[in-house]
Amino acid sequence: MLSPENYIRQKARSLPIHECWINEEWEEDGLANITVARSHTNGNFTVGMYLIDLKCLGVKDAQYFFNISPLDYRDLMERQSENMEIEKVDYALVHNIVFAGIEYAEDYG
């Protein structure tokens, strides 16, 4: 059996995308708070959360929640939306923001 970390490294990308969220002011602020939720066959979710500094540092922070229940996921998203206005977006957008942040930071050391 794989540890949560190894499962995420080896298999999480094959899980279907449930939904993706980003803070509404990310373009103006240059900071993107991104959430990507993927669905497990058991109805649970694995969630990645990323803080991306688009103007300098790239990925400033990242965390995950592995195989959490729908109730725990709903609670997580409620806490996230208490701190900032968030909007549901396509996976392609958040994918591109994360990798653009990494690329930008690499270019400037």
Side-chain angles (χ1 to χ4, degrees):
M1 189 159 169
L2 295 174
S3 69
E5 292 84 4
N6 283 332
Y7 184 92
I8 289 169
R9 282 189 196 108
Q10 295 176 25
K11 298 186 181 229
R13 289 189 68 137
S14 66
L15 295 174
I17 299 292
H18 173 65
E19 58 189 14
C20 301
W21 296 87
I22 193 167
N23 58 305
E24 288 186 349
E25 303 293 324
W26 69 272
E27 290 177 280
E28 295 82 19
D29 295 343
L31 286 173
N33 284 282
I34 294 172
T35 301
V36 178
R38 292 179 177 267
S39 304
H40 289 264
T41 56
N42 65 4
N44 288 348
F45 302 100
T46 288
V47 181
M49 300 180 93
Y50 312 90
L51 176 59
I52 311 298
D53 179 348
L54 295 168
K55 295 182 179 178
C56 182
L57 300 175
V59 179
K60 290 181 69 168
D61 194 18
Q63 62 181 347
Y64 68 88
F65 300 88
F66 177 70
N67 200 25
I68 62 174
S69 72
L71 178 62
D72 288 339
Y73 175 67
R74 187 172 53 244
D75 290 344
L76 178 67
M77 294 312 299
E78 284 175 6
R79 285 193 310 271
Q80 183 79 344
S81 65
E82 287 172 0
N83 298 324
M84 69 190 84
E85 296 294 322
I86 59 175
E87 61 184 326
K88 195 182 292 190
V89 294
D90 289 333
Y91 175 74
L93 174 64
V94 295
H95 174 88
N96 289 337
I97 292 170
V98 170
F99 285 94
I102 292 169
E103 203 173 287
Y104 182 85
E106 287 175 346
D107 287 347
Y108 290 96

